[in-house]
Amino acid sequence: MTFRRGRGQATVGAVWHEAVLHLGGLARDLAAQRGTMRRGRGGFPRSLLELIQGGEGALALAREAWEYGRGLVDQQALDELARRKLAYPLKRVRLLAPIPAPGRNVFCLGRNYADHAAERGAAVPEHPVYFTKPATAVVGPGDPVVHHAVTRELDYEVELAAVIGRGGRDIERAQALGHVFGYTVINDVTARDLQKRHTQWFKGKSLDTFCPMGPVLVTADEIPDPQALAIALRVNGQVRQSSHTSKMIFPVAECIEVLSRAMTLLPGDIIATGTPDGVGAATGTFLKAGDRMEAEVERIGVLANKVVAP
Ligand code: MN
């Protein structure tokens, strides 16, 4: 996860029971014990994006810090660990989007669930439909989603998102999941009227705050099959979307294979894999200020955001 404590800088953490392990602090502590202290952070990446870009070496440092931190949390009082900046109570930190400032646009799949294509009156596509959302639209768990005055048709879309670890071009389907660092949840917030008015989907999907992401990034080893996850979205506690990632038309591996054809994917690239049926546009039930959205994917968690007036 990416988290912030008080007014401190955003940093990389990992959840263990009710604690957040401060991986940079733990790595520094380990390095100091071994007398291998390097300047500053003991060589630990400053952000989750930097960690992903650091490849196997950075992930090994993170795993080592994680193992060390779990042992400390199991044996010592959390207050004392917090004083030493090694771990904090989960309730006392603020989670941010796992990658708060992506290096480029977020890639997205349109119409990747047959039930959703049908409810929108669209045909099931023969090839994956790609579009993007700008990095500037990203917000974190708990952040407000603004009901901008330019839209009267604000809508939600829960999606499983894959984050690329090892970049590459012409990635074959059989190898594609090996290029995934982990998975998170994205709410592909959409202004339906702008989506229609401007023909291409980009504008209606790209307003500020329209890309909530989180609450955490789950490493790929914990999700061996991304097509075996329940996916749901609730508005004010009422279930609006409830489906399963096995229903994707183009599974994650194929989305990566086709996207990477003659186009390089980079570490930290994010691919939102499309939404199931149940969007507001299907029934004309759009979001209004005060609504609370909860986007959930099994094994990852709940991404909650409230709609606020402009
Ligand atoms: Mn979408």
Side-chain angles (χ1 to χ4, degrees):
M1 62 161 66
T2 298
F3 76 96
R4 171 177 286 156
R5 213 172 162 284
R7 290 180 184 172
Q9 288 207 327
T11 186
V12 186
V15 188
W16 180 242
H17 297 298
E18 299 304 309
V20 171
L21 308 183
H22 176 211
L23 296 183
L26 291 159
R28 190 173 51 229
D29 204 51
L30 271 176
Q33 289 173 27
R34 292 170 182 161
T36 56
M37 182 74 174
R38 274 175 281 176
R39 267 174 307 164
R41 298 159 284 111
F44 198 81
R46 262 173 298 210
S47 69
L48 199 42
L49 181 56
E50 207 177 286
L51 193 157
I52 294 167
Q53 291 165 337
E56 291 297 326
L59 188 57
L61 273 182
R63 286 198 188 286
E64 190 181 49
W66 150 253
E67 298 286 345
Y68 175 53
R70 286 193 315 179
L72 292 181
V73 166
D74 289 346
Q75 290 159 17
Q76 298 182 25
L78 206 43
D79 285 351
E80 171 61 14
L81 294 173
R83 199 188 56 74
R84 293 166 59 200
K85 297 186 161 67
L86 299 177
Y88 305 106
L90 187 50
K91 284 183 219 154
R92 300 274 177 78
V93 306
R94 181 181 160 210
L95 300 193
L96 308 185
I99 303 179
R104 57 174 171 175
N105 284 12
V106 175
F107 299 113
C108 303
L109 271 288
R111 297 174 183 158
N112 199 25
Y113 288 78
D115 295 336
H116 173 59
E119 74 175 354
R120 303 290 291 132
V124 170
E126 276 183 59
H127 304 280
V129 176
Y130 297 106
F131 65 94
T132 68
K133 290 169 89 78
T136 45
V138 171
V139 293
D143 283 341
V145 167
V146 178
H147 193 312
H148 297 286
V150 290
T151 180
R152 302 179 66 87
E153 297 184 357
L154 186 66
D155 210 348
Y156 51 79
E157 294 188 353
V158 61
E159 309 199 4
L160 170 70
V163 176
I164 296 295
R166 191 158 42 87
R169 200 173 76 163
D170 299 321
I171 297 167
E172 285 181 36
R173 194 178 316 189
Q175 273 77 53
L177 295 187
H179 285 259
V180 175
F181 180 89
Y183 299 91
T184 187
V185 183
I186 277 182
N187 185 348
D188 176 17
V189 177
T190 302
R192 298 291 175 200
D193 39 5
L194 299 189
Q195 184 183 5
K196 283 195 285 275
R197 184 184 307 160
H198 300 284
T199 313
Q200 297 216 353
W201 300 351
F202 179 73
K203 176 65 184 178
K205 299 252 184 197
S206 298
L207 308 188
D208 291 354
T209 73
F210 273 23
C211 192
M213 185 198 305
V216 294
L217 179 59
V218 176
T219 47
D221 57 303
E222 296 200 35
I223 300 184
D225 184 2
Q227 309 310 142
L229 306 170
I231 182 166
L233 185 134
R234 295 176 291 278
V235 177
N236 304 326
Q238 186 187 30
V239 177
R240 297 285 188 86
Q241 297 184 279
S242 178
S243 190
H244 198 268
T245 59
S246 59
K247 295 187 174 182
M248 281 184 200
I249 298 166
F250 305 104
V252 176
E254 190 172 357
C255 295
I256 292 170
E257 178 185 52
V258 179
L259 185 61
S260 74
R261 276 185 198 150
M263 191 191 107
T264 303
L265 292 180
L266 302 172
D269 275 346
I270 301 157
I271 304 171
T273 57
T275 201
D277 58 311
V279 300
T283 57
T285 315
F286 296 107
L287 294 163
K288 54 190 187 310
D291 283 346
R292 179 181 154 85
M293 301 178 282
E294 291 174 296
E296 180 166 17
V297 177
E298 189 181 358
R299 288 173 173 253
I300 300 172
V302 177
L303 170 65
N305 297 86
K306 202 168 169 182
V307 179
V308 302

